[in-house]
Amino acid sequence: MLLTSILTVVLASLARTTFAQDQFGPIVYDSIHNATSIYGTWSSGGKAVLTGPGFADPANMTFTYPKTTGISYSFTEDGFYEISRYRFNSNGSEPTCITGVIVWVHGTYTLNANGSISMTPLGDGFQQVQDPCAAVSNFIQLYNQTEYYKGWRIFHDPNQGYKLHMFAFDGSPLAPQFQVSTTPNMLPTKQLRNVPPATNSRRSLDVEERSVSGAQDVLGPHWLTGVMVVAGGLALLMSSTAMLL
């Protein structure tokens, strides 16, 4: 009896562990988790950032910069994905040192049984980074990180239609994305640029990272506006502090 009880407890514990691999639980294809299929193209905010032609040229490692920041994800039924990202990163210690990052990457994905998504790049992804406070203020480099998303949900918004919620590896939410098309808007699902095989040593700068001082600014006019707002806020704060003193 004692052995049977112990075995029952162990099996129950294993079952709970397997069932709770992810805080979001196993995939449940119903209206709570998945109001529609994840296949197609999704975009956040004003939908200015989109995957597919018009955002990136992988062959030349160049971008066409959207009017506003955002993210866009596309998924095919046969396991391919594409991501376009355009964002600004603030710097709490140096408010005027806003970093602009624009990213394009594609590859294959897996919808895991625990409700997560694993994404493996094809190897020709790239990003442009502009940091006005860095030694090299504007450069392009390869971007080929395997990405893991802890969970995802699809709900129906009465005003904007289907809405995709994705959660990063640490559970933090991405910006909600709305369905743009049920047909994925993507570049060809194959490697679009010859990429040297990875080695343990750092590749030459002209392959892995290159300065693009002559290219369009990632930050663009948005950065200048942000700096002016921050500067104005600091001036107002200093003025108010002086009056109090």
Side-chain angles (χ1 to χ4, degrees), residues 162-230:
Y162 293 114
K163 181 169 62 172
L164 171 64
H165 292 263
M166 296 177 65
F167 302 87
F169 69 95
D170 59 356
S172 58
L174 276 64
Q177 299 176 71
F178 294 93
Q179 191 174 59
V180 176
S181 172
T182 55
T183 302
N185 181 32
M186 300 167 59
L187 294 176
T189 55
K190 62 181 181 180
Q191 197 170 81
L192 301 177
R193 185 181 68 257
N194 291 328
V195 179
T199 62
N200 292 329
S201 60
R202 179 180 172 85
R203 289 189 288 267
S204 60
L205 288 177
D206 61 343
V207 173
E208 186 173 57
E209 182 175 304
R210 68 171 188 256
S211 174
V212 286
S213 56
Q216 181 179 344
D217 288 345
V218 178
L219 296 172
H222 308 290
W223 172 76
L224 180 59
T225 302
V227 170
M228 291 176 66
V229 170
V230 171

Side-chain angles (χ1 to χ4, degrees), residues 3-110:
L3 181 60
T4 302
S5 300
I6 293 174
L7 182 59
T8 301
V9 170
V10 170
L11 290 175
S13 176
L14 288 174
R16 284 195 299 271
T17 302
T18 303
F19 207 74
Q21 291 179 52
D22 191 283
Q23 71 182 72
F24 302 103
I27 297 175
V28 179
Y29 292 101
D30 57 21
S31 59
I32 296 176
H33 175 87
N34 196 17
T36 189
S37 169
I38 196 172
Y39 309 135
T41 293
W42 306 80
S43 180
S44 67
K47 305 181 183 68
V49 176
L50 292 169
T51 56
F55 180 81
D57 179 358
N60 296 310
M61 295 180 70
T62 59
F63 291 100
T64 300
Y65 305 101
K67 293 181 179 179
T68 58
T69 58
I71 59 175
S72 179
Y73 285 62
S74 285
F75 302 92
T76 68
E77 293 188 32
D78 57 349
F80 289 94
Y81 76 92
E82 183 173 319
I83 302 173
S84 296
R85 297 192 191 104
Y86 182 34
R87 69 180 187 273
F88 298 150
N89 298 326
S90 60
N91 186 329
S93 59
E94 293 289 343
T96 58
C97 292
I98 300 172
T99 303
V101 183
I102 188 166
V103 181
W104 177 87
V105 65
H106 68 166
T108 59
Y109 75 94
T110 301

